[in-house]
Amino acid sequence: MGAARGERRGNRDGIVVIDGREVFLEEVIARAVAGARETAKLVIPPKASLVAACPVDWGLSARQMMASAVGGGFGLSIGPGALREEPVLAAKTLRIASGLQEGRYLVIDIGGGSTDLVIIDVRSAGSGIEVLASEGNRWLGGDDVDFELRKIVLDRLALSEDILSPEDRYEFRRQVEAAKKDLTNGYPDLLETSIEVIHNSATLTFDDLNTAWDGAGFPEQLTRMARLALCKM
C-alpha cells in the first residue's frame, strides 16, 4: 500500500526525469515561459530588462541554464546576472505590497521542489532592503507535502497508487494538491475536504495537513536552514 513519489529530482546534463520520461529542463522552462507570455499577451519592448528567479543554492551552470531558458521563452538574450534568488524577490515584493516597517525579517519561500529563506533588514521608507543572509534546500518542497498527503489517503483506503491508471493517478494527484491549497487557504473555516479515488472516498483534514508537513520534514529542515543563515550574519 502507498503512494508513488515519482522521479522528479534527477538532473543529468540538463535532463530531468518526470514520471519516467527524460526531458531537457531548459526546453521545458522555455516553453512554459513562452506559453505564459502568450496567454498573458505580453508585449516585450526590444530593450527590455528582464529579472528572473532561481533557488538560493543553484550553482553557475544551473543559473546559466535558467537565464538561457527564460531568455528563450521571451525571445531575448539574458545572462545569469539577470537572476535574483527567489526569497529575495519575495522579500522585495512583500516590502512593496505590505509596507513593512523598519526591522529585520525572516522570509520563507516554499516552491514545489525547493525551499529557500532569506533574512532581510528593512530600512527607512524609500531605501529598500538589505539581504543579510540566505539559505536554500533544493530537495524539499510542496511536492513532498503532496506525497505525504497521498500516503494518508491511500492508507485509509487500503490502496496502492501503483494500481491506478495514468489518468486516475493524474486526477488523484490533482485532487490532493487542490485539497492542500483549500485546507491552507480555508483555515479556520474549512477543516476537512473529500478526495475521490476510483469510486472510493476519503476525507482529508487540517490535522492531516499538519501531519504531512511534519512527515515531509519541514520543522527540522526549516530550523536547520534558519540556523545556517544566522551563522552567516
Side-chain angles (χ1 to χ4, degrees):
M1 309 298 175
R5 185 179 291 275
E7 298 176 271
R8 64 178 176 84
R9 305 296 193 181
N11 189 339
R12 173 175 53 82
D13 297 329
I15 297 175
V16 293
V17 180
I18 302 177
D19 292 335
R21 296 183 299 113
E22 290 190 344
V23 294
F24 287 98
L25 182 57
E26 181 175 336
E27 181 180 355
V28 171
I29 296 174
R31 288 186 177 184
V33 170
R37 174 189 177 188
E38 182 177 347
T39 300
K41 294 181 171 54
L42 292 177
V43 178
I44 309 299
K47 296 183 179 181
S49 177
L50 294 179
V51 175
C54 69
V56 166
D57 62 349
W58 271 21
L60 179 59
S61 61
R63 290 172 185 251
Q64 289 174 330
M65 179 279 298
M66 177 64 82
S68 177
V70 173
F74 278 104
L76 299 172
S77 176
I78 66 174
L83 296 182
R84 299 292 183 272
E85 295 173 337
E86 290 171 347
V88 174
L89 287 182
K92 291 182 177 180
T93 301
L94 185 65
R95 167 74 160 125
I96 295 172
S98 303
L100 293 178
Q101 301 299 312
E102 292 185 36
R104 292 185 175 181
Y105 296 85
L106 172 65
V107 180
I108 301 173
D109 179 81
I110 300 175
S114 63
T115 297
D116 301 301
L117 60 79
V118 63
I119 300 174
I120 62 171
D121 184 17
V122 176
R123 300 176 180 176
S124 58
S127 62
I129 65 173
E130 178 185 359
V131 177
L132 302 177
S134 61
E135 187 64 34
N137 185 336
R138 75 184 74 177
W139 310 114
L140 181 70
D143 290 347
D144 299 291
V145 178
D146 293 351
F147 173 73
E148 295 294 329
L149 288 173
R150 295 201 302 271
K151 284 201 305 183
I152 291 173
V153 172
L154 293 171
D155 287 347
R156 285 178 180 161
L157 296 176
L159 294 175
S160 170
E161 194 168 346
D162 293 336
I163 71 170
L164 302 181
S165 68
E167 294 79 11
D168 288 337
R169 183 181 296 114
Y170 172 83
E171 176 60 18
F172 172 48
R173 294 186 176 190
R174 185 197 66 77
Q175 287 187 62
V176 168
E177 182 180 11
K180 176 186 67 177
K181 294 177 180 178
D182 289 343
L183 289 169
T184 300
N185 297 327
Y187 183 82
D189 298 318
L190 179 68
L191 296 178
E192 64 179 44
T193 187
S194 180
I195 300 290
E196 299 288 333
V197 187
I198 52 173
H199 309 299
N200 296 280
S201 179
T203 298
L204 276 177
T205 68
F206 189 79
D207 287 340
D208 292 331
L209 181 59
N210 288 329
T211 299
W213 280 95
D214 291 345
F218 270 92
E220 297 86 356
Q221 291 301 318
L222 287 176
T223 299
R224 182 190 66 83
M225 292 167 62
R227 287 174 175 170
L228 289 174
L230 288 171
C231 289
K232 296 177 180 179
M233 294 174 57

